[in-house]
Amino acid sequence: MRAALRGRDLIEFERRIRAECESGVPLGAYASSHGVHYVFLGERGAFSLERPHAEDRAASAFSTAFPGFSWDEREMRDAWDVRFADLPDPRPLGSNGGSMPAAVVATGAGLMHMVVGPVHAGIIEPGRFTFSSGGETVVHLDAQLAYSHRGVEQHLVARDPLAAAPYLARVCGSCSASRSLAYAQALEQLAGTAIDFRVELVRLVVAELERIYNHLADLAASAAGAGWGPGFARGMALKERAMRACQRATGHRLLFDAIVPGGVAPQTLLEPGELRRSLQALQSSVERYLESLFGNPSVVARWERAGAVSRKAARAFGAVGPTHRASGGKIDVRAFAPYGAYRRIRTSVASASTGDAFARCAIKRDELRESFRLIGAALANVGDARPKAAATMRVEPGAATGVVEGPRGAEIVAVHVDETGRLSRVHVISASYRNWPLVARAMDGNIVPDFPLVNKSFNLCYACADR
Amino acid sequence: MMKPSFRGSLGIRHLVCGSCNGCEHEMNALNNAYYDITRDGWDIVASPRHADVITVTGPMTGAMRAPADQTVEAVPRPRVVVAVGDCAAGVGPWAGAPEAGEGAGVVLNASVFVYGCPPTPDAIRSGLEAAAELLSREDVSEASVSPARIGVAVWSAPVDD
């Protein structure tokens, strides 16, 4: 009876989403003016399960069974008026007229509450962390972000898809190249454009440079979190050298606008030989750094068992990237759904199982080495000729989703182009957005003073999570 | 070489108001061994109460408006607000976005604007030197009337046709 009322296709839709959450790779969910879209990763890239809005916009929440979609569904309700009857956390996700909803706190005898943020003591983006603790032991941490919410996605609506690329490059400074690549992939799907293999090699070099400078910064910050000043100073000096390599390779220290729809910017990788030499020198310095960092028993002892994320929690929250792989996950988009030059130059996937700060750092160590190897293989094949100019594209109406493996995990851009050839909806799902809820969970049972250490072992961005 | 005195030494507090964190990468670079501002007696400080200069980034978001005002107000006078990056000057990519303001530096009445997307560490250093110069004057209160400008805006909106 109930089945007949709800409609067979709705039941089938819900069954498929539950099945994908159970045994597939969930990436995120969003709403558009048409309906709701749940995004998953398949072996050929991202795919969406979609359904038009009900007349009254009523919908069933999937975050009841799969907490990974909690932020996504709250955002769908706040921004698109999707009426979920049963959201586990009913609070607005972000601020409402400048005020944040009250934090969730644990109460009980001997528990106290400590609020940190939105303004922090270092050079850090804004976010509010509310700790409930008994003595120093954290019982609950509520992380409330969205202070960097600019309305990025609305700002892109009605723009020309090709002309919008520089905006996508500036959603977040730390994963700019990855997002540019995911956006380019989506437009290239809609235009039916094939990219020259040499250009794909150049894109791989740019994407791996992004991983190198980010992972170096993360390890340096994790050394600082463990209280080892020299490890921080040396790591940040190496990051500076990596940023200078980025400058030489693309004309920009953070790789902005190097990857464009249809190819790469004309100034990208003009002197591959010079880059090869400077990266060889950097690689040997990085190797010495990694040996001293991981050979320092005081640092390693501080990292071990701090901020552990169980395999089960990583799975339930849909963790991606190093966070996922540190907790026993096997998926790296570069290897699971290879794109561009990763189809021919295969990525070896880093793995660890303890899920603690040490495991996340060890994943980044292994990925740094792999990035240097991948760049070496790409540069060996790229030759000395200038990369081809970006292909001319005609972006056809429709919807497509690009997904790449950024430094923090899967970076996703969903793009809808209307009949006039303009953007009607762009949605960014960042690896940081996926992983942030786990930073809070990782603190359960840890001590308050370990928060910087635990937090820096993730080192997530706020800008791409908040948009 | 060490300066003859720490005249012009600065306590610098950084405030993020919806930046993409590109500017934060370059602010952080000021502390690395290549730029090391501590050689000049400059330091990034943990509290606005310890600061002479407050660097601000981002277009200014709705959610950061009140916390930003409180943070600047907590910096003792004389103080100088330095806007870092095109967004803070109100000429970045998110100017006009629904939850973005006119630029953190514009809203918070900056006396120095450092342009760039993001500005280089050297450009930010020039902005901090301009701030130190302002602080050495008898009266810095009028400085924001004709602010110092370092570099030129890099961001230009793509032609959309």
Side-chain angles (χ1 to χ4, degrees):
Chain A
M1 177 65 188
R2 188 172 153 77
L5 279 174
R6 295 179 69 221
R8 201 161 291 161
D9 59 334
L10 176 59
I11 290 171
E12 175 59 15
F13 174 73
E14 293 181 356
R15 188 197 63 76
R16 285 191 64 198
I17 290 181
R18 275 193 222 99
E20 288 293 340
C21 289
E22 189 73 27
S23 55
V25 186
L27 294 179
Y30 66 100
S32 68
S33 54
H34 304 294
V36 295
H37 312 258
Y38 285 79
V39 188
F40 301 91
L41 184 67
E43 283 175 8
R44 281 184 291 176
F47 66 93
S48 294
L49 298 175
E50 306 167 325
R51 195 178 156 79
H53 289 301
E55 212 162 286
D56 58 357
R57 297 226 169 189
S60 304
F62 293 96
S63 50
T64 46
F66 178 69
F69 285 150
S70 175
W71 282 20
D72 309 66
E73 289 184 336
R74 287 162 68 189
E75 192 178 326
M76 289 157 81
R77 184 218 31 215
D78 296 347
W80 294 88
D81 197 28
V82 179
R83 295 182 184 163
F84 297 107
D86 43 0
L87 287 183
D89 184 346
R91 295 174 301 160
L93 186 60
S95 86
N96 198 344
S99 92
M100 276 286 160
V104 169
V105 293
T107 50
L111 292 186
M112 59 180 186
H113 307 136
M114 187 168 75
V115 184
V116 181
V119 178
H120 300 288
I123 302 171
I124 315 175
E125 299 173 85
R128 188 171 75 180
F129 301 94
T130 306
F131 295 86
S132 305
S133 68
E136 292 209 359
T137 305
V138 176
V139 178
H140 184 78
L141 167 58
D142 193 14
Q144 294 174 287
L145 311 187
Y147 288 92
S148 289
H149 177 58
R150 294 148 282 174
V152 160
E153 293 174 358
Q154 299 96 306
H155 196 51
L156 294 171
V157 169
R159 291 183 191 277
D160 174 79
L162 296 172
Y167 291 95
L168 270 297
R170 287 162 179 79
V171 172
C172 178
S174 300
C175 33
S176 171
S178 299
R179 188 153 298 105
S180 291
L181 183 52
Y183 183 65
Q185 274 184 4
L187 296 194
E188 286 152 16
Q189 283 173 41
L190 289 172
T193 305
I195 303 298
D196 180 80
F197 182 63
R198 281 193 58 245
V199 174
E200 293 286 21
L201 288 169
V202 175
R203 284 177 162 187
L204 179 150
V205 171
V206 174
E208 296 305 325
L209 282 171
E210 182 164 83
R211 199 175 327 276
I212 288 173
Y213 91 72
N214 271 287
H215 279 8
L216 284 170
D218 290 7
L219 289 177
S222 298
W228 194 39
F232 175 68
R234 280 179 69 193
M236 292 308 275
L238 290 169
K239 180 206 175 194
E240 175 67 25
R241 281 172 66 186
M243 286 175 76
R244 290 178 181 198
C246 293
Q247 167 79 32
R248 279 191 297 273
T250 69
H252 197 282
R253 281 163 57 86
L254 297 165
L255 309 165
F256 287 11
D257 306 321
I259 294 173
V260 299
V264 292
Q267 74 277 15
T268 311
L269 209 60
L270 294 182
E271 292 175 46
E274 197 219 335
L275 181 67
R276 195 181 300 128
R277 281 187 297 279
S278 71
L279 285 182
Q280 273 165 1
L282 177 62
Q283 185 178 3
S284 58
S285 303
V286 167
E287 199 49 55
R288 283 198 300 279
Y289 175 63
L290 293 176
E291 279 163 22
S292 71
L293 188 58
F294 285 81
N296 184 325
S298 313
V299 170
V300 168
R302 290 282 286 117
W303 287 350
E304 282 174 345
R305 292 179 297 282
V309 172
S310 70
R311 192 185 185 121
K312 196 176 156 208
R315 171 83 212 158
F317 283 89
V320 293
T323 304
H324 159 81
R325 294 188 283 280
S327 294
K330 301 289 175 220
I331 291 163
D332 180 316
V333 184
R334 295 173 294 173
F336 185 82
Y339 49 91
Y342 298 107
R343 291 195 187 100
R344 303 255 291 271
I345 302 177
R346 301 313 294 258
T347 312
S348 147
V349 179
S351 70
S353 59
T354 50
D356 51 5
F358 177 81
R360 284 183 288 277
C361 290
I363 292 280
K364 288 170 188 173
R365 171 196 62 195
D366 297 349
E367 291 186 359
L368 267 171
R369 290 172 171 153
E370 180 68 357
S371 290
F372 281 110
R373 190 191 68 80
L374 290 167
I375 292 179
L379 288 176
N381 284 291
V382 83
D384 281 331
R386 298 176 72 123
K388 279 191 180 166
T392 321
M393 307 203 310
R394 191 188 147 80
V395 180
E396 299 292 339
T401 303
V403 56
V404 306
E405 184 74 26
R408 291 166 187 78
E411 296 295 347
I412 298 126
V413 184
V415 181
H416 296 234
V417 174
D418 67 16
E419 294 302 320
T420 66
R422 298 261 155 178
L423 294 170
S424 58
R425 176 86 173 100
V426 177
H427 182 61
V428 170
I429 307 169
S430 76
S432 292
Y433 187 83
R434 279 277 66 78
N435 289 335
W436 263 116
L438 280 164
V439 176
R441 293 288 66 77
M443 278 307 291
D444 289 348
N446 283 248
I447 57 172
V448 175
D450 269 2
F451 181 63
L453 167 65
V454 172
N455 188 27
K456 288 298 158 186
S457 72
F458 292 89
N459 218 12
L460 304 177
C461 345
Y462 301 63
C464 51
D466 297 349
R467 292 155 288 133
Chain B
M1 244 228 335
M2 178 86 87
K3 285 183 177 177
S5 77
F6 272 120
R7 186 181 149 80
S9 77
L10 299 177
I12 302 153
R13 184 71 183 84
H14 187 62
L15 176 66
V16 185
C17 304
S19 158
C20 78
N21 76 45
C23 290
E24 281 57 49
H25 278 286
E26 299 301 33
M27 284 295 301
N28 269 311
L30 295 175
N31 267 336
N32 76 32
Y34 290 78
Y35 300 99
D36 193 7
I37 56 170
T38 60
R39 282 179 297 202
D40 299 305
W42 295 356
D43 194 16
I44 313 274
V45 296
S47 165
R49 305 253 186 242
H50 304 162
D52 308 294
V53 169
I54 182 157
T55 49
V56 298
T57 55
M60 180 58 77
T61 58
M64 275 310 289
R65 187 61 225 262
D69 282 343
Q70 288 170 28
T71 305
V72 171
E73 211 37 61
V75 180
R77 290 189 165 84
R79 63 179 175 231
V80 172
V81 179
V82 175
V84 174
D86 288 353
C87 284
V91 295
W94 309 115
E99 289 296 319
E102 307 159 69
V106 178
V107 174
L108 300 170
N109 219 10
S111 309
V112 179
F113 286 85
V114 183
Y115 292 91
C117 185
T120 60
D122 286 330
I124 301 172
R125 171 187 282 275
S126 301
L128 293 171
E129 278 164 6
E133 202 276 318
L134 286 176
L135 282 167
S136 69
R137 291 185 193 173
E138 285 292 308
D139 181 12
V140 299
S141 59
E142 294 300 306
S144 60
V145 175
S146 58
R149 295 182 191 275
I150 312 287
V152 289
V154 171
W155 170 259
S156 62
V159 179
D160 195 334
D161 282 315

